[in-house]
Amino acid sequence: MEVEAAEKGTGGRRLLRLTRVETFCAAHRLHSNFLSAEDNKRIFGKCNSPNGHGHNYKVEVTVCGEVNPVTGMVMNITELKEHLQEVIMKQLDHKNLDKDVPYFANCVRTNRGLGLGVQDTGLRSLPWKSTMGADLPAFQRREEI
C-alpha cells in the first residue's frame, strides 16, 4: 500500500492517492477471432499456442480523494482490500482468462485489456464518494518489472 499527496481538492482540502498492490497468476492465449490462424501465429508468435501460457501479474489500483476529516482516511483500506479480493483475486488468480472469465472470452487478453476488464466489471462498483475516482488499474507481468 502506498499513500501519496496529490493536488488540492475542493475548499482547499488536500487530495491523497491511495495505491494497493496485488499479485496473481493467470493463463491466457493471445488470439484474435478477427484474424486468420496464420495472422494470429504471425502477430502473436508462441503466445498464440492453443494451450496458452501463464504469467505472474502485479496490479496497482489507485484511488484518489479528499481525506475525511472525521475518519482521517480517503477510503477504508480494509474495504479496498476486500473489494480487490472480490473483483481481482477471486476472478483472475489461478484462472485461464480465456476459459474461466466470461468478460475475456471474445477479446485479446493484453495487459491493457486486463485493466479495462477489471475496471469495467469490478472497480466501478467500489463505494466511491463524489470526490473520489480511480485510475485504470496498472497490470504488469512480473518479468517486466
Side-chain angles (χ1 to χ4, degrees), residues 6-104:
E7 60 279 350
K8 293 260 184 183
T10 58
R13 295 194 349 217
R14 286 199 154 291
L15 294 177
L16 292 180
R17 295 184 201 283
L18 173 66
T19 300
R20 174 88 185 164
V21 178
E22 296 284 353
T23 59
F24 67 93
C25 303
H28 71 122
R29 176 186 186 204
L30 289 178
H31 182 85
S32 172
N33 294 331
F34 300 104
L35 298 172
S36 68
E38 296 79 23
D39 285 342
N40 271 295
K41 185 168 180 145
R42 180 179 53 78
I43 293 169
F44 300 118
K46 66 181 181 179
C47 296
N48 183 248
S49 167
N51 296 321
H53 61 282
H55 297 288
N56 296 316
Y57 289 94
K58 171 184 153 185
V59 59
E60 296 181 9
V61 176
T62 301
V63 295
C64 179
E66 292 182 359
V67 175
N68 181 319
V70 175
T71 65
M73 298 185 286
V74 171
M75 178 179 191
N76 185 316
I77 295 169
T78 301
E79 287 179 23
L80 178 59
K81 179 181 177 183
E82 289 170 356
H83 193 76
L84 296 181
Q85 286 293 316
E86 200 61 37
V87 300
I88 294 176
M89 301 307 287
K90 285 184 181 177
Q91 303 296 320
L92 303 177
D93 192 31
H94 287 86
K95 303 285 191 211
N96 182 316
L97 300 177
D98 307 327
K99 299 175 183 178
D100 300 331
V101 184
Y103 181 89
F104 298 113

